Amino acid sequence: MDYKKVTEDLVKWVGDYAKKIGAKGFIFGLSGGIDSAVIAAISKRIFPENSLGLIMPCDSINEDREDALKVAKEINLETKTIDLTSTFDELMKASFISGNRMAKSNIKPRLRMTTLYYYAQDLGYLVLGPSNGSEMYLGYSTKYGDSGADLMPIANILKTDIFKIAKELGLPEFIINKKPSAGLWLGQTDEDEMGFTYEILDAYIRGEKIPEPEIKEKIDKMHKNSEHKRKLAPRFELK
């Protein structure tokens, strides 16, 4: 793959879309991970003055916030920090505390999505989503959370290719080398939670054979079970 050309084509496509619909700028969550850093770098190339990264800690890992700020400094990106921890806590108090870890954790990206759209509508900006092609294939995102966006620039680009595009965009090595994580809890990483690496997953998506049948079975199951995340909600059809 010619990553230089892909990167140039990607930036042009996003820019053309923004121009077509008359967007004033872009807004996105800046998580301290590589996907949001790539989105930020693309945005800055299109809207140097009208790109806004929101850092939205929610009982989060402090290292992620620090990494987000480092990325912002590297690319001269405007940021705002909105701490959603007390909002999350109030929701827990107003409803109930579930024993289901994912049910609680998924509230956080949904609160972030709501915050992004609040700012976006006020500014006349589009919300850019950070989900990549590997995550989309597995449904490895929160429905109406990090998958809620106006534009998904990298949703057809596999994770292993994202690292190469990040280099083309001039992003710092520390963010490229950081272990991918949704940051839902301390020590959580994507690959540990999935049970296989992005290299294995991307090879399978590309049509290559993988030697471990149990991993193939797991990927197939995750893809099938997450189909609802890649489609609009089913609707009754009048006849």
Side-chain angles (χ1 to χ4, degrees):
M1 186 182 294
D2 184 342
Y3 290 103
K4 185 176 188 299
K5 185 178 185 307
V6 168
T7 303
E8 289 172 353
D9 289 348
L10 173 59
V11 172
K12 184 179 184 304
W13 180 83
V14 175
D16 287 347
Y17 186 90
K19 183 178 180 180
K20 180 177 71 174
I21 67 169
K24 296 179 181 178
F26 291 138
I27 189 168
F28 40 85
L30 199 64
S31 67
I34 190 169
D35 296 321
S36 72
V38 165
I39 292 299
I42 291 169
S43 178
K44 279 289 290 185
R45 290 198 177 190
I46 299 162
F47 289 112
E49 305 301 324
N50 288 6
S51 292
L52 179 60
L54 296 191
I55 300 171
M56 297 171 281
C58 188
D59 191 24
S60 302
I61 302 162
N62 193 51
E63 180 188 346
D64 289 339
R65 179 179 178 273
E66 292 173 357
D67 287 345
L69 289 170
K70 287 179 189 175
V71 168
K73 185 177 180 181
E74 287 278 346
I75 64 174
N76 192 29
L77 172 71
E78 180 188 358
T79 65
K80 292 185 183 297
T81 298
I82 302 96
D83 194 324
L84 296 172
T85 304
S86 61
T87 307
F88 175 83
D89 291 342
E90 284 301 315
L91 179 55
M92 291 292 96
K93 290 177 188 176
S95 54
F96 71 104
I97 299 177
S98 172
N100 185 316
R101 190 182 206 182
M102 289 308 298
K104 288 191 294 184
S105 295
N106 281 332
I107 290 172
K108 298 176 182 181
R110 289 177 178 134
L111 288 175
R112 292 180 181 123
M113 180 274 294
T114 300
T115 306
L116 284 166
Y117 272 99
Y118 177 54
Y119 276 82
Q121 191 163 7
D122 180 69
L123 294 167
Y125 286 8
L126 289 181
V127 176
L128 299 185
S131 295
N132 61 64
S134 307
E135 293 170 345
M136 293 293 289
Y137 188 85
L138 292 182
Y140 193 71
S141 62
T142 299
K143 196 172 186 178
Y144 308 121
D146 48 328
S147 64
D150 296 311
L151 195 59
M152 305 284 276
I154 59 174
N156 286 327
I157 301 174
L158 298 181
K159 185 76 171 191
T160 47
D161 294 323
I162 293 293
F163 294 106
K164 302 291 178 37
I165 289 172
K167 288 185 178 181
E168 291 293 336
L169 289 167
L171 287 167
E173 286 294 323
F174 83 87
I175 204 71
I176 294 171
N177 296 329
K178 184 178 180 180
K179 283 189 175 182
S181 169
L184 296 177
W185 56 80
L186 187 63
Q188 184 260 353
T189 69
D190 294 356
E191 293 179 334
D192 285 346
E193 193 175 356
M194 292 187 302
F196 43 81
T197 67
Y198 276 112
E199 285 79 9
I200 290 174
L201 171 61
D202 290 358
Y204 183 63
I205 295 172
R206 291 188 185 104
E208 300 173 25
K209 289 185 178 180
I210 55 175
E212 300 87 351
E214 65 277 7
I215 291 179
K216 176 186 179 301
E217 184 178 340
K218 187 171 186 179
I219 293 172
D220 287 342
K221 183 177 180 181
M222 291 175 75
H223 179 67
K224 181 180 178 182
N225 289 349
S226 64
E227 185 178 357
H228 65 98
K229 294 186 179 184
R230 293 180 289 274
K231 295 181 177 181
L232 291 173
R235 289 169 282 182
F236 172 71
E237 298 290 343
L238 288 171
K239 296 180 180 179

